[in-house]
Amino acid sequence: MTVDKAARAALNGQKPCVLWFTGLSGAGKSTVADLVEQRLHALGKRTMILDGDNVRHGLNRDLGFSDTDRIENIRRVGEVARLMVDAGLIVLVSFISPFRSERQMVRTLMEAGEFIEIFVDASLAVCEARDPKGLYRKARAGQLPDFTGIGSRYEPPEAPELRLPADEAPAEALAEQVMALLQARRML
């Protein structure tokens, strides 16, 4: 192809990358990703958010929540994110993505420095107290047997590029930490 990723990135005036927000349900991944996207948009940056709500209703509507389906969900999301990076976008991906091996697999799809793992770290107790969609209540009642953190494991990142203490700081402050990292890495 004549028009490549570098040409698209130059036209967009940014370095394409994937900001991969991982953490338990209710940790604040989507909230922080949305705030970051708003800040990037205000700077004139080209972005796209991928999260469970906009992917599970279309591309991945055929998948459930078994470990096998979760792995396939993340594989598909990773491939879409890679295509968007090739288009020169800053892609904000907000998924529980419970398994380290799948997050690492997505990292290998990208060039060095394009995958930024952001651990939105909130305790299970805090996430259960927030429970914005009532999912923990359903899981505790046995209605969601494979729910991450209750009936299915979550493997926190061992060395994320950024750890956001979501039960210690407000979402706005966490979004500023992401922006500071992007600026420090000269991604903007």
Side-chain angles (χ1 to χ4, degrees):
M1 303 289 175
T2 304
V3 177
D4 62 5
K5 178 173 33 179
R8 292 182 196 101
L11 183 66
N12 289 338
Q14 63 193 35
K15 289 186 180 178
C17 65
V18 172
L19 304 175
W20 193 280
F21 295 84
T22 180
L24 291 170
S25 178
K29 299 175 300 300
S30 294
T31 301
V32 175
D34 181 58
L35 290 168
V36 171
E37 185 178 41
Q38 290 176 45
R39 285 161 172 76
L40 292 170
H41 183 77
L43 294 173
K45 302 305 176 186
R46 297 176 193 265
T47 62
M48 183 63 192
I49 288 184
L50 300 174
D51 71 8
D53 290 335
N54 69 5
V55 173
R56 283 258 184 201
H57 295 300
L59 178 67
N60 291 346
R61 70 175 170 241
D62 61 322
L63 299 175
F65 292 93
S66 68
D67 285 356
T68 300
D69 283 353
R70 288 169 196 253
I71 291 166
E72 178 60 13
N73 183 47
I74 297 307
R75 187 196 70 75
R76 291 180 191 179
V77 169
E79 291 290 349
V80 170
R82 182 186 59 78
L83 291 170
M84 290 184 170
V85 165
D86 285 348
L89 302 179
I90 297 172
V91 187
L92 300 95
V93 178
S94 175
F95 279 80
I96 294 171
S97 50
F99 307 126
R100 287 183 197 112
S101 58
E102 274 55 59
R103 295 190 303 264
Q104 180 58 34
M105 178 273 304
V106 175
R107 183 184 295 272
T108 65
L109 296 174
M110 311 296 164
E111 292 180 18
E114 288 181 342
F115 183 89
I116 299 171
E117 186 174 39
I118 301 169
F119 179 29
V120 184
D121 189 3
S123 70
L124 179 60
V126 166
C127 292
E128 278 196 78
R130 291 177 181 167
D131 203 8
K133 298 177 183 175
L135 299 175
Y136 285 100
R137 187 173 18 86
K138 288 180 181 177
R140 293 287 186 195
Q143 297 170 343
L144 297 173
D146 293 324
F147 191 70
T148 304
I150 306 296
S152 184
R153 72 188 186 285
Y154 176 77
E155 299 171 354
E158 293 175 327
E161 280 76 7
L162 185 60
R163 178 194 164 269
L164 299 176
D167 48 5
E168 299 171 14
E172 293 78 10
L174 302 177
E176 288 305 321
Q177 290 183 44
V178 176
M179 294 300 293
L181 176 68
L182 291 173
Q183 290 167 347
R185 289 181 170 219
R186 297 192 168 124
M187 306 290 288
L188 305 177

